Amino acid sequence: MTEEARKIRLVMELRKSGITNTRVLSAIERVPREIFVLPSFVDQAYENTALPIDQGQTISQPFVVAFMTQALEVRPRARVLEIGTGSGYQAAVLSRLCRRVYTIERFKSLLRQAEISFKALGLHNVVTRHGDGMLGWPEQAPFDRIIVTAAAKEIPPALTEQLADDGILVLPVGQNAWEQSIVKVTKSDGRLESRDLLPVRFVPLVEGVVRESVSVRH
Ligand code: SAH
């Protein structure tokens, strides 16, 4: 099966599992996931599974990326903050749907690799920051949408503070690796409302940054 055929099969699978938003589906179709996976996993780039990336992290399952993106209700003029750049895949999908993506990663080496991928794809509306995403990005706040792609024990207060009115925050929340769910938080007239959408398993959101000198993959 060719890569293109595998991609079409994946998009059909996403559609069947409840991803109905056509903008989301076409963003997934337009972003080559093989760019964001490790060379040894390229043949699995269009499988509907999470895959390992460097630093013991993962690129999320395409269904989860699509589900969270759909829940985020991204509009073309939106400014979106992402915590947990990882491979950069989720940021690349968002970049096709909104005005600008601000993405924060605590591992410098992952961020550098993701930047290489954004450049290779000509995604000029993604801006990156090496830092602790739990603190958000105060200089650029407020954000219309915020997505966190690592599991928080509690909803980080800096993020709800940096969410614009009428904004939406989507994140996995859970006390441990077995009990997490995607939570959607909406803000209106300064009031927050949240609801659980889906049980999931994410790598944890961890405080602080890592300035490791591990070299970037070639
Ligand atoms: N969105 C990514 C998923 C990566 S996994 C993708 O599409 O590939 C989650 C990422 O969150 C990891 O890279 C991890 O290092 C990062 N992370 C965890 N805690 C963080 C924090 N406090 N600030 C920034 N990034 C964090």
Side-chain angles (χ1 to χ4, degrees):
M1 198 185 279
T2 66
E3 205 150 69
E4 200 51 35
R6 287 200 193 111
K7 186 190 272 190
I8 291 167
R9 186 182 63 179
L10 173 64
V11 170
M12 277 168 59
E13 195 180 325
L14 296 177
R15 206 190 295 258
K16 266 195 220 140
S17 39
I19 309 302
T20 51
N21 185 311
T22 51
R23 288 184 72 229
V24 173
L25 289 168
S26 84
I28 300 255
E29 218 174 301
R30 287 170 65 199
V31 176
R33 192 166 181 256
E34 65 272 22
I35 302 268
F36 298 92
V37 304
L38 291 172
S40 48
F41 288 98
V42 165
D43 58 333
Q44 293 176 55
Y46 294 103
E47 297 297 320
N48 194 8
T49 53
L51 294 170
I53 56 173
D54 288 333
Q55 307 299 344
Q57 305 302 314
T58 53
I59 172 171
S60 308
Q61 181 191 3
F63 171 72
V64 173
V65 171
F67 183 89
M68 291 179 84
T69 308
Q70 180 164 276
L72 210 55
E73 300 177 33
V74 185
R75 306 230 166 86
R77 296 199 50 76
R79 294 166 70 248
V80 180
L81 173 66
E82 181 200 26
I83 311 304
T85 315
S87 68
Y89 178 66
Q90 172 75 72
V93 169
L94 288 167
S95 80
R96 298 296 195 190
L97 296 166
C98 70
R99 182 147 57 106
R100 196 171 287 268
V101 181
Y102 300 82
T103 183
I104 307 178
E105 170 57 53
R106 64 191 289 271
F107 282 102
K108 202 165 203 169
S109 60
L110 288 179
L111 195 65
R112 293 294 165 258
Q113 188 62 47
E115 284 165 349
I116 291 170
S117 303
F118 301 145
K119 208 164 184 188
L121 295 177
L123 303 178
H124 301 300
N125 62 340
V126 182
V127 285
T128 60
R129 177 175 181 157
H130 176 230
D132 181 356
M134 283 199 189
L135 308 173
W137 194 326
E139 300 83 357
Q140 295 293 345
F143 297 95
D144 305 303
R145 300 290 186 262
I146 303 178
I147 180 170
V148 184
T149 61
K153 287 207 158 71
E154 314 275 345
I155 300 173
L159 300 185
T160 49
E161 274 159 32
Q162 292 174 30
L163 187 63
D165 207 41
D166 291 324
I168 299 175
L169 160 65
V170 172
L171 79 171
V173 183
Q175 288 301 319
N176 55 55
W178 303 273
E179 295 163 86
Q180 300 172 359
S181 62
I182 301 276
V183 176
K184 179 171 181 172
V185 182
T186 50
K187 194 189 236 185
S188 77
D189 295 325
R191 272 193 37 239
L192 297 172
E193 237 171 74
S194 63
R195 62 192 167 101
D196 289 12
L197 300 182
L198 182 81
V200 279
R201 248 187 207 206
F202 268 86
V203 294
L205 188 67
V206 182
E207 229 174 288
V209 297
V210 185
R211 253 173 257 283
E212 82 289 4
S213 55
V214 177
S215 66
V216 166
R217 163 167 62 91
H218 296 289

